[in-house]
Amino acid sequence: MVVWCPDWSVVAALDEADRSPRAAAAVLSANAVEVCNGPAWSEGVRRGQRRRDAQARCPELLLLPANPDRDARAFEPVLATVEDLRPGVAALRPGLLAVRAPGSWYGTEPAAAATVCQALVEVGVWDVRVGIADDLFTAEQAARTADVQAWTVVPEGGSASFLSGLPVHVLQDDGPRGRELVSLLQRLGLRTLGDLADLPGEAVEHRLGAYGAAVRRRARGEDTALFAARTPPPELDADAVFEPPLDSVEAITFSVRTTAERFVAQLAHHQLVATGVRVEAESEGVVCSSRTWLHPRHFGARDLVDRVHWQLQGADVGGSLRGRKASGEVRAPIDRIRFVPEVVEPAAAHGEALWGSASDDLVERGVARVQGMVGFEAVLRPALQGGRTPSARQSLVPWGERAVDLRPVDRPWPGRVPGPAPVRVFATPPVAEVVDDAGREVCVTDRGVVSGVPRRFRVGDGMLPWQPVTAWAGPWPTDEGWWSGGTGPSARFQVVGADGRAWLLVRAPEGWSLEAGYD
């Protein structure tokens, strides 16, 4: 049995955008229509149309981006619903699933199909169609011929006769190869699958190759394709229920320790570790605090207990709790803490080093104690990101939190000063001066031309007195943020003074400044 939910990409995209499912919509990929729903189809929108052509046919067409991950996530409740009725579900692709031996569920195949349709309608999937046949290809085509919330049952041994009248364009769903084969078959004058099935097998294989021979076998109802039923994902959540509810942060933190150990143990039982965990706190059955925590390695029980403490400690740590008393008591008594794994990885990928990791654990526990005293986001560590300037390439993230939303390092970043990187970057660059042989200030034109050779430089406030330049490199001109009123064009120079120390100087419209120093 094949269960088909038409235009699933559009259904999932409309649901994510919180738009009406009856709106004319299409999913675009590479500026062309990949999938369109019924209202768009009735207005003349077709798969493969360019964006402009589709909008010309239907001016009110809602254009949505393609997102295979979104489609798969939205299809998960459909798989779970059918799985509750009959284990052994196989997800062929988002919007299409298959199950073996449907007649063994409820006595007859139509009764099984009716049960599936009713169950999916109850969870909000209105357009569902079911096909039942001897092989996978025939069952899928039978589902495509069924009406909404209805089914088509091909009699046993009747696959060939059912498929013979179908047009060859049903093979287009097999991807680019299918569309290419359909075009060739139509040029050869073959209009139906029956025409293809009547051809000699050796001639088809000689002319169309192994793929063409496999398609001919499908058209004859001899499809041998198999599918593997998925294994239902284990329930890895862990709850700590408090009866009566607790209003003390310390009491809650102490009480979740056993649950945190159980959470880590059940992950280990499945040979998994969690690198991302969502912690939810409920008060009177309503989630009043929720935050996803990331870990640079993986979570242990003590790490989870610390995250609960920090989350409930105050709103500045990411909680959305309804207030907090100065004494460490939450205003809304908490009756449940839930750990939800959001990112899990194989435990084998996080094995200990040859000599163990005791020193790392001691460092992490020491930093965790400091965070408990001064706050989670008060202890930071540096992370490298992409950028043109030394300061732009630095990012600070809380200790124990994975760095996210960093600019990629592997981009070209035109105007970036080449390595090695400086060892000291000034938070407030001190004012500097650079002059040529005649004592005139060295300037840089808009085209990056230097007005003179740098001969001497100094840094204000007595930091560096005047000294000759023994070597220099540059300029590296940049003009960032000019479209939004940025600082304007600037240029960077590397200079070496008479004392042998190297510096990174910047010439901006307001003058020279010292940005960084080298070792």
Side-chain angles (χ1 to χ4, degrees):
M1 181 173 72
V2 166
V3 180
W4 178 47
C5 302
D7 313 326
W8 186 257
S9 295
V10 178
V11 173
L14 287 173
D15 181 69
E16 183 182 58
D18 198 20
R19 303 296 293 268
S20 170
R22 297 181 178 85
V27 170
L28 293 185
S29 178
N31 209 35
V33 175
E34 186 177 77
V35 183
C36 62
N37 59 0
W41 178 275
S42 63
E43 295 292 333
V45 180
R46 297 292 182 268
R47 181 185 300 181
Q49 280 182 342
R50 307 301 296 173
R51 175 199 293 260
R52 186 171 299 176
D53 295 337
Q55 290 178 315
R57 297 290 182 92
C58 182
E60 65 276 8
L61 182 67
L62 180 62
L63 301 177
L64 302 163
N67 189 338
D69 293 337
R70 172 200 61 208
D71 301 343
R73 286 195 305 269
F75 197 56
E76 184 64 29
V78 178
L79 296 174
T81 300
V82 179
E83 209 161 37
D84 289 340
L85 299 173
R86 165 72 170 179
V89 174
L92 303 180
R93 58 180 177 271
L96 193 71
L97 64 87
V99 185
R100 288 190 179 92
S104 61
W105 306 2
Y106 299 97
T108 65
E109 292 164 342
T115 303
V116 169
C117 290
Q118 179 180 355
L120 292 179
V121 168
E122 290 176 353
V123 298
V125 182
W126 300 102
D127 193 353
V128 53
R129 313 174 190 213
V130 177
I132 300 176
D134 292 337
D135 60 272
L136 190 60
F137 177 74
T138 307
E140 180 179 349
Q141 301 309 316
R144 294 180 182 275
T145 62
D147 295 329
V148 179
Q149 299 177 19
W151 51 89
T152 298
V153 179
V154 179
E156 188 174 354
S159 296
S161 59
F162 172 79
L163 296 171
S164 62
L166 298 181
V168 293
H169 70 71
V170 300
L171 301 173
Q172 291 181 344
D173 295 322
D174 207 12
R177 290 195 306 174
R179 291 191 289 272
E180 184 178 351
L181 179 61
V182 168
S183 176
L184 177 59
L185 294 177
Q186 290 175 339
R187 293 198 302 269
L188 293 175
L190 303 175
R191 303 301 177 189
T192 66
L193 294 182
D195 297 336
L196 176 61
D198 292 338
L199 296 177
E202 293 182 357
V204 171
E205 186 170 5
H206 178 73
R207 178 66 177 83
L208 304 179
Y211 176 70
V215 172
R216 174 182 173 274
R217 288 193 296 271
R218 293 186 201 169
R220 293 171 60 88
E222 301 171 354
D223 184 21
T224 58
L226 301 176
F227 60 86
R230 73 169 194 160
T231 302
E235 294 292 337
L236 299 177
D237 299 0
D239 293 358
V241 180
F242 310 129
E243 187 62 39
L246 303 177
D247 58 2
S248 169
V249 174
E250 297 300 332
I252 296 171
T253 303
F254 179 79
S255 302
V256 300
R257 188 176 302 276
T258 302
T259 303
E261 293 173 351
R262 174 164 52 88
F263 175 77
V264 174
Q266 69 183 13
L267 285 173
H269 176 72
H270 296 284
Q271 299 182 355
L272 297 172
V273 294
T275 59
V277 176
R278 186 173 75 252
V279 178
E280 297 179 350
E282 292 186 6
S283 176
E284 299 178 356
V286 178
V287 176
C288 58
S289 177
S290 177
R291 172 167 176 169
T292 297
W293 298 87
L294 303 178
H295 198 285
R297 293 195 300 149
H298 60 84
F299 280 100
R302 290 191 295 184
D303 299 322
L304 294 171
V305 173
D306 288 340
R307 268 55 174 187
V308 173
H309 185 271
W310 295 333
Q311 183 166 323
L312 300 182
Q313 194 72 23
D316 59 329
V317 191
S320 57
L321 226 53
R322 294 171 291 180
R324 178 177 65 91
K325 296 182 181 178
S327 60
E329 297 180 355
V330 293
R331 294 181 181 239
I334 303 300
D335 50 36
R336 182 188 299 268
I337 295 290
R338 178 181 295 111
F339 298 113
V340 181
E342 292 204 341
V343 182
V344 296
E345 298 178 3
H350 293 267
E352 290 189 353
L354 179 61
W355 307 113
S357 58
S359 58
D360 295 339
D361 292 340
L362 290 175
V363 171
E364 292 185 4
R365 295 311 306 165
V367 175
R369 284 194 293 270
V370 175
Q371 286 177 310
M373 293 184 289
V374 300
F376 172 71
E377 295 182 350
V379 183
L380 306 176
R381 66 177 179 86
L384 182 65
Q385 63 177 353
R388 294 178 176 86
T389 68
S391 58
R393 298 184 67 194
Q394 302 177 62
S395 177
L396 296 176
V397 297
W399 179 278
E401 186 86 340
R402 188 186 310 164
V404 295
D405 298 330
L406 299 181
R407 292 189 293 269
V409 180
D410 56 352
R411 300 292 171 82
W413 300 108
R416 179 171 68 89
V417 178
V423 297
R424 181 182 179 187
V425 179
F426 296 96
T428 303
V431 178
E433 294 182 65
V434 180
V435 297
D436 57 14
D437 288 325
R440 295 186 298 266
E441 183 181 29
V442 176
C443 300
V444 181
T445 67
D446 292 340
R447 295 181 176 273
V449 179
V450 183
S451 63
V453 177
R455 292 303 184 187
R456 294 188 304 147
F457 76 99
R458 73 170 180 177
V459 179
D461 299 330
M463 179 178 173
L464 288 174
W466 283 107
Q467 60 177 302
V469 175
T470 59
W472 65 282
W476 289 276
T478 59
D479 189 3
E480 295 183 294
W482 54 266
W483 57 88
S484 58
T487 58
S490 61
R492 287 172 173 78
F493 290 78
Q494 291 173 333
V495 299
V496 179
D499 57 1
R501 291 185 294 176
W503 307 95
L504 182 64
L505 297 170
V506 181
R507 179 62 169 88
E510 59 272 13
W512 287 88
S513 61
L514 178 63
E515 186 173 36
Y518 296 88
D519 190 358

